[in-house]
Amino acid sequence: MREVLPELLQWWEQGHSIGVGTVVATFRSAPRPPGASMLVGPDGTAVGSVSGGCVEGAVYELAQEVLESGDPAFQRYGISDDDAMSVGLTCGGILDVWVEQMSRETFPELGEVAADIDAGRAVAVATIIEHPDAQWLGRRMIIRPDEEPRGSLGSSRADAAVRDDALGQLSAGHNATLGYGPDGERRGEGMRVFIWAFAPPPRMLVFGAIDFAAAVAKVGAFLGYRVTVCDARPVFATHSRFPAADEVVVDWPHRYLAAEQDAGRIDGRTVITVLTHDPKFDVPLLEVALRLPEVGYIGAMGSRRTHEDREERLREVGVTSTELARLRSPIGLDLGARTPEETAISIAAEFVADRWGGTGERLAARDGRIHHTLEG
């Protein structure tokens, strides 16, 4: 929903009803992830995408029907579905799409949710998309950490189960469709709930204010990370040299990282890139980084000789083989990169592959599906 939120909020504030189609689950090589949304505005304008073009026409028509009737709808589009073939889902994947009407009456909390998202505050929206009792369909609950939920799905049992799971999805930063019994039973089926998990953007910490760091910061910002560049040298760590970074910090890298960990600002989505290739910075920093309980990626720049020397120094300060195995060094995938910008793409390719379980191989050289399975 993030990418269409400005248009959605504008129409909502004006008192209009909007048709909203959302991918709630994907199977096989689906082109868009859960949470991708398309709007049909009051003037018939289409905004956003649920499939990159494959089924937009069908979802557009369904959204118009929902706007007219006021009743939400659930539709599966896939290669095994004759109707899906007729609308052109040629990628071989399957999409589950939930279409509902949004307005001030049906979603009065949207303004508050949008404010949370804009401010980077964690908030989840849980919506019932399948239930044996049609009256439950479309019921919504707003979940925030350390607060009581707003709204109800229909029973205290269902509310409690979904709240716990929504908080888990928030911590991971993943949207998902989860299944329960009709009253929220953990073991059972009949009720499916889609959870939009609007977590703050993941962080990228770039250590070393060198020319490569500017390119890495730019790619990180493009991928949606909140980017921090940190270096102990104030003459190099300046905002003018790193315009793509959200913040530039002058501090000893190991001290800054330890403080961020103590403040609870490092999690399993955090990307750490160490670009200084200077032992007096690298070794203390990596000693802290490799012992973090949760982190998404740790990579360090340098030649193989630099890596071997760095690894020996880390062992001397007590870093174990298990801890060293978390380090990606030399950093990046083998793209033959030469320039800072090409190197930044190489680094990004590696941490994206780590995040989603990719291999880094050429897709043309592999058989089978293009996308790794991410089922909701």
Side-chain angles (χ1 to χ4, degrees):
M1 186 203 284
R2 286 181 190 270
E3 67 273 18
V4 299
L5 188 56
E7 292 85 356
L8 175 61
L9 189 62
Q10 181 179 2
W11 283 323
W12 179 88
E13 289 174 338
Q14 292 170 353
H16 296 300
S17 293
I18 309 99
V20 182
T22 302
V23 178
V24 295
T26 65
F27 310 89
R28 297 192 294 198
S29 298
R32 299 298 307 277
S37 297
M38 185 179 82
L39 312 179
V40 176
D43 58 353
T45 301
V47 177
S49 170
V50 293
S51 71
C54 298
V55 301
E56 262 66 20
V59 174
Y60 181 89
E61 292 180 5
L62 183 57
Q64 288 185 313
E65 294 174 11
V66 167
L67 281 172
E68 184 174 346
S69 68
D71 297 325
F74 176 89
Q75 182 66 51
R76 173 166 288 184
Y77 301 97
I79 196 70
S80 60
D81 184 340
D82 292 339
D83 180 61
M85 288 295 290
S86 72
V87 297
L89 190 62
T90 58
C91 61
I94 296 174
L95 297 176
D96 283 350
V97 179
W98 167 255
V99 183
E100 60 186 319
Q101 179 192 103
M102 285 192 186
S103 66
R104 285 184 174 274
E105 290 71 33
T106 64
F107 196 171
E109 307 91 352
L110 178 61
E112 297 174 7
V113 170
D116 285 335
I117 296 170
D118 186 59
R121 295 187 293 266
V123 60
V125 179
T127 306
I128 297 178
I129 61 171
E130 185 177 308
H131 199 279
D133 184 346
Q135 293 185 4
W136 285 55
L137 292 176
R139 289 181 179 174
R140 210 181 327 265
M141 185 168 66
I142 314 301
I143 301 104
R144 298 178 177 88
D146 305 319
E147 290 185 22
E148 289 298 314
R150 295 279 302 277
S152 174
L153 300 179
S155 75
S156 58
R157 182 176 187 172
D159 292 349
V162 173
R163 178 184 184 273
D164 288 346
D165 291 340
L167 291 175
Q169 295 301 129
L170 266 179
S171 68
H174 292 159
N175 303 319
T177 292
L178 305 178
Y180 306 87
D183 194 38
E185 299 91 339
R186 291 289 184 179
R187 295 184 179 181
E189 57 184 27
M191 181 171 74
R192 297 174 73 209
V193 179
F194 178 65
I195 297 175
W196 258 313
F198 297 105
R203 297 191 68 191
M204 172 186 278
L205 306 182
V206 182
F207 293 101
I210 64 174
D211 50 355
F212 286 90
V216 171
K218 188 173 183 179
V219 170
F222 174 75
L223 292 175
Y225 286 82
R226 177 174 176 78
V227 180
T228 299
V229 175
C230 176
D231 196 296
R233 303 165 297 177
V235 67
F236 295 114
T238 64
H239 287 279
S240 62
R241 296 188 70 230
F242 301 99
D246 294 283
E247 59 181 351
V248 179
V249 175
V250 178
D251 199 352
W252 279 85
H254 70 284
R255 185 168 60 191
Y256 174 75
L257 182 59
E260 291 300 285
Q261 171 63 18
D262 290 344
R265 290 191 284 265
I266 306 296
D267 62 25
R269 301 177 300 152
T270 302
V271 166
I272 296 174
T273 62
V274 181
L275 310 181
T276 49
H277 47 81
D278 182 334
K280 70 175 178 290
F281 295 118
D282 290 2
V283 173
L285 171 59
L286 288 171
E287 187 179 359
V288 174
L290 294 172
R291 289 171 173 163
L292 292 171
E294 284 189 301
V295 67
Y297 171 89
I298 305 169
M301 179 176 279
S303 66
R304 296 198 183 278
R305 178 178 294 181
T306 298
H307 168 69
E308 291 170 2
D309 175 71
R310 180 192 292 132
E311 191 174 68
E312 183 178 344
R313 292 172 184 267
L314 287 167
R315 290 185 186 279
E316 288 175 355
V317 296
V319 176
T320 68
S321 296
T322 300
E323 291 165 342
L324 282 169
R326 304 175 74 188
L327 178 62
R328 302 291 183 261
S329 177
I331 197 170
L333 298 185
D334 179 13
L335 304 184
R338 291 293 185 272
T339 67
E341 291 75 18
E342 290 171 347
T343 301
I345 296 297
S346 165
I347 294 169
E350 184 171 51
F351 66 70
V352 169
D354 273 12
R355 180 179 184 185
W356 299 113
T359 64
E361 299 176 75
R362 292 179 185 269
L363 291 173
R366 297 180 60 222
D367 295 324
R369 300 170 185 164
I370 294 175
H371 300 289
H372 287 253
T373 301
L374 295 172
E375 298 188 2

